[in-house]
Amino acid sequence: MTVDTAAAVERLLRFLSVNAITGHEGPIGKELAAALQEVGVPAKAITFDDAHTRIPEPTPIGNLIVKLPGTGKKGAQPILFMTHMDTVPLCAGAKPKIAGKRVVNELEGTTALGGDNRTGCAVLVTLAAELIKQKLPHPPITMLFTVREESGLFGAKHLNPVDLGGPAVGFNFDGRSAADVIVGAIGADRWFVDIRGKAAHAGVAPEKGISATMVLALAMAEVYEGGWFGKVIKDGREGTSNVGLVGTADGKSAGDATNVVTDFVHVKGESRSHDAKFVREITAAYKTAFTNAAAKVKDHEGRAAKVKFTSRLDYVPFRLKSDAPVVKLAEVAIQKIGRTPNLRTTNGGLDANWMVKHGIPTVTFGAGQNEIHTVKEFVDLREFESACQLALVLATAE
């Protein structure tokens, strides 16, 4: 199995140059569709689904789905190759260049690069190119490029599994080492709190106000004292939690002035664990804390603050067994490219979380990403080239 690595790297540079952060995937979707047609994929085999119409955040396009008919044994089950097309906002304006066996950012220190996950995009387009150019026999293949992975795995969550054509197994490219086989990932809730108090002059009559800020402070104190903040360990179960945005619903600062009792605070946070039930327990602890705090903060007439606590399931945890067929296929393929497979789990969410939930056992490999989501990001071309070779081996395995 040989791969035109020069062409693969050229594609990678091409995709890294496209400015299309999460929620603004239009340009990269267009570029991917064009690149696929250039390597011989018929236009009719390239479609965008309607997942974006169900995503709760503005999203210009749906997931890109490509179907390659089988050319090998009759009756072979379809397989799925997938990645995500979006990047984190920090990647906006990146300018890739080659430095030895790395791709780095000319603007190092100012933006991230976008290897997460334009490496995966380049792997999948290279796979299509090599299968067509070399006329290699393979089962029916579906390629999936999801949207809004970075902002909540929304593309994978809201796709219609029927659109994928019934693949038996899935291979996701999103990570560092091509020899890593991620067989499990954490689950997460995302939660939101609206705290409503009452404004009053903080210098003249603060007792007439109801401080939403104080509700936040008391709630967080209860969460912290109860051991529910940060790394959470309870009765042998582990998870994490965090508070992110504190302000208004549109991202502005809570409160207007130091001499006005703050009447509204919007809070966003998350809960995570490999134990789905424990995720909900962590979230419930936050809800209880905010409810208790609201009852304590009152004005001079005894009226208390009010809170509205809502949460949503971001993604469910999963753990594939080491003897699962998709895991065995991955291990054999990695050995065929001269590497030693390394089965592991991750404390981050992956599109694979939702694919497993949709009934498609999916493992995740790396493709050269390093220092992701930072201004020091780079792509290891050795790992990227290994990932391209690995995809080809997986696609042509009998």
Side-chain angles (χ1 to χ4, degrees):
M1 290 291 172
T2 58
V3 173
D4 186 342
T5 55
V9 172
E10 184 177 333
R11 289 185 195 101
L12 174 60
L13 292 171
R14 173 181 177 179
F15 298 151
L16 286 169
S17 299
V18 178
N19 188 8
I21 64 173
T22 189
H24 301 271
E25 292 89 347
I28 187 62
K30 181 179 180 180
E31 197 72 20
L32 287 167
L36 287 161
Q37 291 183 62
E38 290 166 14
V39 301
V41 178
K44 64 181 180 180
I46 303 169
T47 60
F48 289 90
D49 72 5
D50 63 351
H52 63 302
T53 65
R54 295 182 290 277
I55 294 173
E57 306 288 345
T59 310
I61 60 173
N63 301 306
L64 174 59
I65 298 175
V66 181
K67 291 183 179 178
L68 305 179
T71 59
K73 292 181 179 179
K74 289 185 177 181
Q77 288 187 300
I79 57 178
L80 173 71
F81 287 87
M82 64 179 295
T83 191
H84 66 87
M85 68 173 82
D86 60 322
T87 62
V88 294
L90 187 60
C91 297
K95 294 185 177 181
K97 70 174 183 179
I98 294 178
K101 291 300 290 183
R102 291 184 174 186
V103 178
V104 299
N105 189 1
E106 285 186 13
L107 305 175
E108 184 178 356
T110 59
T111 76
L113 177 63
D116 177 17
N117 198 12
R118 301 297 161 75
T119 54
C121 293
V123 167
L124 265 60
V125 176
T126 295
L127 172 60
E130 296 298 339
L131 290 175
I132 293 169
K133 182 175 68 174
Q134 298 187 44
K135 298 180 180 180
L136 298 171
H138 60 81
I141 289 174
T142 299
M143 295 184 178
L144 171 66
F145 302 80
T146 63
V147 295
R148 274 204 180 273
E149 190 268 359
E150 296 290 5
S151 49
L153 310 183
F154 287 120
K157 179 179 181 179
H158 291 286
L159 68 79
N160 183 349
V162 174
D163 292 341
L164 300 179
V169 294
F171 303 111
N172 183 37
F173 286 83
D174 187 7
R176 187 182 64 82
S177 172
D180 282 349
V181 186
I182 299 179
V183 298
I186 210 159
D189 278 352
R190 194 159 298 192
W191 48 260
F192 313 85
V193 190
D194 286 337
I195 307 171
R196 297 190 181 276
K198 186 176 70 172
H201 195 296
V204 176
E207 72 279 4
K208 293 183 179 180
I210 303 173
S211 173
T213 306
M214 186 54 62
V215 174
L216 170 63
L218 291 173
M220 291 307 301
E222 180 175 327
V223 166
Y224 187 79
E225 291 290 335
W228 295 102
F229 180 78
K231 187 170 185 178
V232 184
I233 302 176
K234 301 280 186 180
D235 301 322
R237 296 173 298 168
E238 293 190 10
T240 63
S241 75
N242 188 49
V243 172
L245 184 145
V246 175
T248 62
D250 57 359
K252 297 179 181 178
S253 174
D256 297 316
T258 60
N259 63 350
V260 179
V261 175
T262 302
D263 62 349
F264 179 80
V265 175
H266 180 72
V267 188
K268 292 182 181 180
E270 68 169 28
S271 310
R272 297 188 182 204
S273 177
H274 285 277
D275 182 330
K277 290 183 179 179
F278 197 44
V279 172
R280 293 192 292 272
E281 286 187 33
I282 297 171
T283 300
Y286 274 86
K287 182 177 182 179
T288 297
F290 277 100
T291 301
N292 291 342
K296 295 176 182 177
V297 182
K298 302 177 182 180
D299 67 8
H300 67 301
E301 295 178 336
R303 288 174 293 197
K306 296 180 180 179
V307 297
K308 179 182 178 182
F309 188 100
T310 58
S311 65
R312 71 164 186 247
L313 173 67
D314 254 15
Y315 41 91
V316 291
F318 77 97
R319 178 68 180 267
L320 299 174
K321 295 182 178 179
S322 59
D323 61 352
V326 68
V327 177
K328 290 300 181 183
L329 287 170
E331 289 183 303
V332 170
I334 290 171
Q335 291 167 349
K336 284 184 177 179
I337 65 169
R339 304 285 296 276
T340 301
N342 173 34
L343 272 59
R344 53 183 290 263
T345 61
T346 178
N347 287 334
L350 298 164
D351 277 341
N353 289 64
W354 281 109
M355 305 317 296
V356 173
K357 179 67 173 177
H358 292 320
I360 306 170
T362 301
V363 295
T364 301
F365 309 99
Q369 303 171 11
N370 283 271
E371 302 285 353
I372 64 170
H373 301 188
T374 76
V375 295
K376 296 181 179 180
E377 185 182 8
F378 68 92
V379 173
D380 182 334
L381 288 176
R382 294 182 182 87
E383 291 293 346
F384 169 70
E385 292 164 4
S386 288
C388 291
Q389 188 179 15
L390 175 63
L392 193 59
V393 171
L394 288 165
T396 55
E398 295 184 358

